[in-house]
Amino acid sequence: MPRSASSIKIAATLAALVQRTHASSIYVSPTGDGSGTIDSPYGSIQAAVDAAKAGDTIYLRAGTYSPTTNIQITHSGTATSPITLRSYNDEAVIIDGEELPGTPYGLDESLPNDERGILHIENGNYWSFYNLELINGPYGIYSRDSSHNYYERISTHDNYESGFQIQGAASNNTVIYLDSYLNRDPRKNGESADGFACKEGEGEGNVIRNSRLWSNVDDGLDLYMFGSPVTIEEVYAWGNGFNLWGFSDFNGDGNGFKLGITDNPPANHVVRNSIAFSNAKKGFIDNGNPGSLTFERNTAWNNGDNGFNMRSSKSTLKNNIAAVNTNDQVSLVSGTQSSGNSWDGSTGWSNSSFLSVDYSTLAGARGSDGRVKASDFLVPASGEDIGATTQAQI
Ligand SMILES: *[C@@H]1O[C@H](CO)[C@@H](O)[C@H](O)[C@H]1NC(C)=O
Ligand SMILES: *[C@@H]1O[C@H](CO)[C@@H](O)[C@H](O)[C@H]1NC(C)=O
């Protein structure tokens, strides 16, 4: 090994050792009532959060946690020493919010800000979260005015508002391998519970990747009034906007991807290699966002209205597919740049234009690397390189 490489390696090892002497591991178990060690874990996630300093890792042992007050994360790690909250050794951890206030409140009642979220993150920066399942809460994850947070393999389902919401001043948050489904809001008859929302705020660098958003009462993904570009890659939204709960005056919107409204400034969201299918209404919709959105290699299939509906944004759409949707495949304001899309050619598209219209692999267990497993779902039978694919792109 050249001298420089070995001295770099030694320096890195020393740095790791120094780091280790300062960083603590804090343990929590559903049956614990100790002081946070592995042999005597805390019983309360909040106690662990309150004890955690920059660089620390909180390990949740297997089981179901049922807090009666939500978990407030209001302090920060640092860029080089984030605070981590994760399941221990990939043990199965469920945090069940059913005992929290607001699950649900009555029709038209308000849900106070502090009560939102099983995990309520406010002014909490530089946290990392791994492998947690959040159910039956007044939102699963609710992040307000928080930046530089990283979320991997989170599952949010059956919550009484959106599964996962980022709001306010929010930059550089990364969400990867999220599954968010069956979230609903009896309080609003379906008007606002989405799978993933980044709403009413602004901030650069927010990204969601390789995530699945299905059977939520309102939309799969909603960027309502978020004034900065969000990057959306390999996100799959299906079956959203159906009244599976028998709400009386149903208000669910039912779009796969709702990418506005934003007026000032317009937000130039980027959507790549994503699929909207079998949603109650539209696949991808700008919802009045006047920005310049970018759509590359996405597919809208079998939705209950247009595949792509851009009523205000002069978007750039390249190599996308809209097929087998109920109304016009696309409805695009004039000034849109459109090239290489299914609607730019003369070929008609039907179910038989695809190698497969069976989404069971996409909806099935993820691979050990966290990604959804590859399949032929909605891959063009012609071999044309257009539309989204779960297969590696060459
Ligand atoms: C977001 O991250 C980028 C790249 O690391 C950095 O340049 C930028 O300053 C960050 N933005 C904010 C608001 O911290
Ligand atoms: C296309 O396939 C889907 C899934 O099998 C089916 O629900 C739908 O009715 C088909 N549409 C047409 C127009 O054949």
Side-chain angles (χ1 to χ4, degrees), residues 19-26 48-59 75-78 80-86 126-128:
Q19 171 108 0
R20 209 165 297 147
T21 58
H22 288 286
S24 306
S25 297
I26 303 170
V49 164
D50 293 344
K53 298 179 301 299
D56 289 353
T57 299
I58 301 167
Y59 290 108
H75 68 291
S76 299
T78 66
T80 48
S81 299
I83 304 173
T84 299
L85 176 62
R86 64 173 311 146
Y126 297 111
W127 282 75
S128 299

Side-chain angles (χ1 to χ4, degrees), residues 180-213:
S180 191
Y181 53 98
L182 288 169
N183 298 292
R184 79 298 199 194
D185 54 350
R187 202 168 53 89
K188 292 187 173 177
N189 274 329
E191 198 186 326
S192 78
D194 306 308
F196 174 82
C198 183
K199 278 185 181 168
E200 299 172 276
E202 59 185 345
E204 63 179 345
N206 297 298
V207 178
I208 176 169
R209 277 199 188 97
N210 208 271
S211 292
R212 304 184 289 195
L213 314 169

Side-chain angles (χ1 to χ4, degrees), residues 3-300:
R3 189 192 177 101
S4 58
S6 70
S7 49
I8 288 167
K9 196 171 173 207
I10 289 163
T13 309
L14 282 173
L17 280 172
V18 170
Q19 171 108 0
R20 209 165 297 147
T21 58
H22 288 286
S24 306
S25 297
I26 303 170
Y27 295 85
V28 192
S29 152
T31 55
D33 65 351
S35 55
T37 62
I38 189 159
D39 296 324
S40 176
Y42 284 125
S44 149
I45 299 173
Q46 185 70 61
V49 164
D50 293 344
K53 298 179 301 299
D56 289 353
T57 299
I58 301 167
Y59 290 108
L60 304 185
R61 301 304 307 265
T64 299
Y65 297 77
S66 303
T68 52
T69 53
N70 67 356
I71 297 150
Q72 297 276 329
I73 295 182
T74 57
H75 68 291
S76 299
T78 66
T80 48
S81 299
I83 304 173
T84 299
L85 176 62
R86 64 173 311 146
S87 76
Y88 179 69
N89 277 351
D90 282 342
E91 291 178 358
V93 168
I94 297 174
I95 312 180
D96 184 343
E98 193 68 56
E99 302 299 316
L100 300 175
T103 55
Y105 282 131
L107 189 61
D108 297 329
E109 285 179 13
S110 64
L111 177 63
N113 173 61
D114 281 0
E115 293 182 5
R116 297 181 187 179
I118 299 173
L119 293 186
H120 180 94
I121 304 156
E122 187 157 349
N123 298 308
N125 307 314
Y126 297 111
W127 282 75
S128 299
F129 303 88
Y130 298 86
N131 198 25
L132 305 172
E133 186 173 349
L134 300 138
I135 65 173
N136 301 327
Y139 291 89
I141 291 196
Y142 186 83
S143 165
R144 183 186 280 267
D145 298 333
S146 298
S147 296
H148 313 288
N149 292 329
Y150 180 85
Y151 303 87
E152 182 177 314
R153 284 183 297 145
I154 305 295
S155 162
T156 51
H157 61 93
D158 295 284
N159 293 289
Y160 295 94
E161 242 295 351
S162 292
F164 195 129
Q165 183 154 320
I166 291 173
Q167 194 167 335
S171 301
N172 286 347
N173 294 294
T174 300
V175 178
I176 183 165
Y177 310 147
L178 169 70
D179 283 336
S180 191
Y181 53 98
L182 288 169
N183 298 292
R184 79 298 199 194
D185 54 350
R187 202 168 53 89
K188 292 187 173 177
N189 274 329
E191 198 186 326
S192 78
D194 306 308
F196 174 82
C198 183
K199 278 185 181 168
E200 299 172 276
E202 59 185 345
E204 63 179 345
N206 297 298
V207 178
I208 176 169
R209 277 199 188 97
N210 208 271
S211 292
R212 304 184 289 195
L213 314 169
W214 75 94
S215 299
N216 298 289
V217 72
D218 195 30
D219 301 301
L221 176 146
D222 192 353
L223 305 182
Y224 175 75
M225 294 298 281
F226 197 79
S228 311
V230 175
T231 301
I232 297 160
E233 291 175 335
E234 299 180 331
V235 177
Y236 313 107
W238 72 92
N240 296 291
F242 293 98
N243 188 358
L244 305 175
W245 300 270
F247 293 153
S248 52
D249 180 16
F250 187 60
N251 281 327
D253 286 340
N255 302 297
F257 296 78
K258 189 171 167 186
L259 305 164
I261 298 171
T262 322
D263 293 317
N264 188 17
N268 303 337
H269 304 306
V270 175
V271 188
R272 291 196 193 96
N273 206 10
S274 293
I275 308 180
F277 68 96
S278 306
N279 294 289
K281 299 278 173 51
K282 300 174 176 76
F284 299 85
I285 173 176
D286 69 1
N287 205 32
N289 179 353
S292 304
L293 281 64
T294 301
F295 295 90
E296 288 172 359
R297 293 207 63 172
N298 304 289
T299 299

